[in-house]
Amino acid sequence: MKQDPIDLAELELLAIGAAKAAGALIVDERPDDLGVSAKSSPTDAVTVMDQRSQDLLVHYFADRRPLDGVYGEEEGGKRSRSGITWVVDPIDGTVNYLYGNPAYAVSVAAVRGDPATRGSWTPIAGAVYNPVSGELFHAHEGGGARLTVGVSSRPLSVRHPEHLGMALVGTGFGYAAERREAEAAALVEILPRIRDIRREGSAALDLCRVACGRLDAHYEVGLHVWDMAAGLLVAREAGAVAGGLVDEHPSHDLAWVSAPSVAQDLAELVRRVTLAGGTYQS
Ligand code: IPD
Ligand code: CA
C-alpha cells in the first residue's frame, strides 16, 4: 500500500485528532472502577482506561496511516514500514487521573527514526491534550508551537529568566524507592540554586509548561520516549533548548528542557547532580 509523502502540517492535524479523541474517551467513559493494577512498583499505577486509550490510538493510526508504526506506554503497537512511528502516552499523569487531579494528558507524536533506540528519534509533529482544561498544545517541526483552547489559539514562546537563580523549574520522580532517594539528594543540590521547584505529575504537560512560560525549565531522570516526544517538540518549537546526560538527546538517564537564557547553567547543574547520584538502571 502506498502512502502520500510527508506533510508535517497534516501529521500535526492527525496528532491533534488522535489526542482529542483519546482525551474525550478517558473523561467521558471513565468507569467508577478504574481497574487499577501495578506496573514497575506498587505506586506505578495503570488503569483500564490507559489500555483503552492506547487501543483507540492504535486503531486511529491503523485506519489513517497504515504503514506507520505505533510505540506506546501500554500493550499493543506495531513496527513502522514508513519510517514514521506514532509515539503515544495514552494517559500521562496516570496517578493524577486516578486521584481526580486535573493534570493529565494524552500525548501523541509522529517521530522519525527509531523511538526504541537512544538518540535516534526526532519528533516532527505532535499534540499534548489535557481533556479537563481543554488545553491543546501542538506543533510541527519548523512551524512553531501553539496552545489552542476551543476556538482561541495562540503561538507559544519560552520565558527569558535572567539567571538560574530566577528560574522556576519542574521535575518528576521515578516510581522506585532507590531512584527517589537519589532524586531527593539531587534536589538538595538544585533547590538553593533556582527560584523554586514544581512537581505536577505529568511530564508531557511539564514540557508544554516550559513552552508557554509557566516554567523556565524541566528536568527529570527516567522519562520514556512516550512521556516526552510530543512535549519536547512543542517546547523546542517555542524556543526551548533540550538535552540529556551527555549530549543534546533527552533520554532515560536524563532529560532537560530549558529557556535558552539559563540552559547552559541548568544543564551543567542537572548533569552534575545526576551523575553524582548514579545513572538510571532499569
Ligand atoms: C509519569 C508522569 C510523571 C513523571 C513520571 C512518568 P505516567 O507518567 O509523566 O510526571 O514524573 O516519570 O512516568 O506513569 O503517569 O504515564
Ligand atoms: Ca507517561
Side-chain angles (χ1 to χ4, degrees), residues 73 89 91-93 226-227:
E73 176 158 17
D89 195 334
I91 304 180
D92 186 54
W226 47 77
D227 300 312

Side-chain angles (χ1 to χ4, degrees), residues 80-143:
S80 177
R81 287 183 290 143
S82 65
I84 291 180
T85 300
W86 293 91
V87 174
V88 301
D89 195 334
I91 304 180
D92 186 54
T94 298
V95 174
N96 282 339
Y97 181 67
L98 191 59
Y99 278 71
N101 292 318
Y104 54 87
V106 178
S107 175
V108 176
V111 162
R112 199 185 275 130
D114 176 11
T117 304
R118 187 189 183 287
S120 53
W121 52 273
T122 310
I124 54 175
V128 176
Y129 179 55
N130 177 338
V132 185
S133 67
E135 288 187 319
L136 173 71
F137 300 90
H138 51 107
H140 68 259
E141 195 177 43

Side-chain angles (χ1 to χ4, degrees), residues 16 44 53 139 182 243 252 272:
I16 290 171
D44 182 4
S53 176
H252 202 55
R272 177 168 60 76

